[in-house]
Amino acid sequence: MNGKKGGVSMKVLTRREFLRFSGIAAAGLTLGQLGFDLTPAQLYAAELRTELRIKGAKETPTICCFCSVGCGILVATDKKGKVINAEGDPDHPISEGSLCAKGAASYQIANNEDRLKKVRYRAPYSDKWKEVSWDWAMNKIAANIKKSRDKSFVEKNSDGMVVNRTDGIASVGSAAMDNEECWLYQKFLRSLGLVYIEHQARI
């Protein structure tokens, strides 16, 4: 089928012709790669990346801290131990070098001017935050947990069965905790008698 555009004659491919030419092109590309070893080019690209981005740095493999999937990250540090780069580990068996948005931005865990470095507390009905010590904050949290647990603790249900639960506290787990931390956290919650245990990844 022929058509004209701007005085120039063009041939419009039919669907059958398009598929035939596409198949020929794909076969040609496949055959063209036979006998060619791309390993030297890949090694050169990896070396070039290292030279340009993390020259002279120490690369340390680690696990992403944002959830329990366990993706691998390569963290590059300079001679003073400062993090200068973080990227997916291509040799990791789980993620194979790919990362989610949070994992890809994990560099900001170590380098972020907006990250809070001190504990802040806002009293009930107050419109201001104040800096407090870690010891004060931990004691305040523990006191609040004990007060709520003592007030809402149920030893037996209406049928007389021992349940040892507290209905006054609920927990929404954090996706910024790793697998081991999540395990310890839920064991702690269950020891308090919590039954409302949820995770933010499901909400």
Side-chain angles (χ1 to χ4, degrees), residues 19-179:
L19 292 174
R20 186 172 72 244
F21 288 137
S22 298
I24 294 172
L29 289 173
T30 302
L31 292 173
Q33 290 183 1
L34 293 178
F36 293 95
D37 186 6
L38 298 179
T39 303
Q42 291 171 346
L43 290 175
Y44 174 75
E47 292 173 359
L48 186 62
R49 175 190 63 81
T50 303
E51 289 295 322
L52 293 177
R53 298 181 64 183
I54 51 176
K55 184 177 181 179
K58 177 184 177 182
E59 272 194 337
T60 304
T62 186
I63 304 298
C64 182
C65 64
F66 281 112
C67 77
S68 59
V69 171
C71 296
I73 297 180
L74 290 176
V75 178
T77 53
D78 61 14
K79 295 179 180 178
K80 296 182 179 179
K82 180 182 178 181
V83 176
I84 58 175
N85 186 55
E87 59 187 55
D89 184 357
D91 295 327
H92 197 271
I94 294 175
S95 55
E96 298 181 342
S98 61
L99 295 173
C100 72
K102 290 186 293 184
S106 59
Y107 167 83
Q108 297 182 36
I109 296 174
N111 300 284
N112 191 340
E113 295 180 358
D114 296 326
R115 183 179 182 183
L116 294 178
K117 297 180 175 63
K118 295 183 179 179
V119 183
R120 291 186 180 181
Y121 170 74
R122 189 177 71 178
Y125 308 107
S126 175
D127 61 349
K128 297 179 180 178
W129 294 87
K130 67 176 183 179
E131 292 183 355
V132 296
S133 67
W134 275 104
D135 289 338
W136 186 94
M138 295 300 289
N139 289 332
K140 180 68 173 175
I141 293 171
N144 287 349
I145 290 175
K146 186 178 188 310
K147 181 180 178 181
S148 297
R149 184 176 185 270
D150 291 345
K151 186 177 180 180
S152 63
F153 191 78
V154 178
E155 184 177 350
K156 295 183 179 180
N157 62 14
S158 58
D159 296 329
M161 297 177 59
V162 177
V163 291
N164 289 333
R165 68 173 182 243
T166 177
D167 297 331
I169 307 174
S171 172
V172 179
S174 170
M177 298 169 65
D178 60 32
N179 202 29

Side-chain angles (χ1 to χ4, degrees), residues 1-30:
M1 191 164 79
N2 294 325
K4 285 190 176 182
K5 183 177 180 181
V8 179
S9 179
M10 299 188 316
K11 181 177 181 179
V12 179
L13 294 177
T14 64
R15 181 174 179 272
R16 186 179 299 277
E17 290 174 331
F18 173 77
L19 292 174
R20 186 172 72 244
F21 288 137
S22 298
I24 294 172
L29 289 173
T30 302

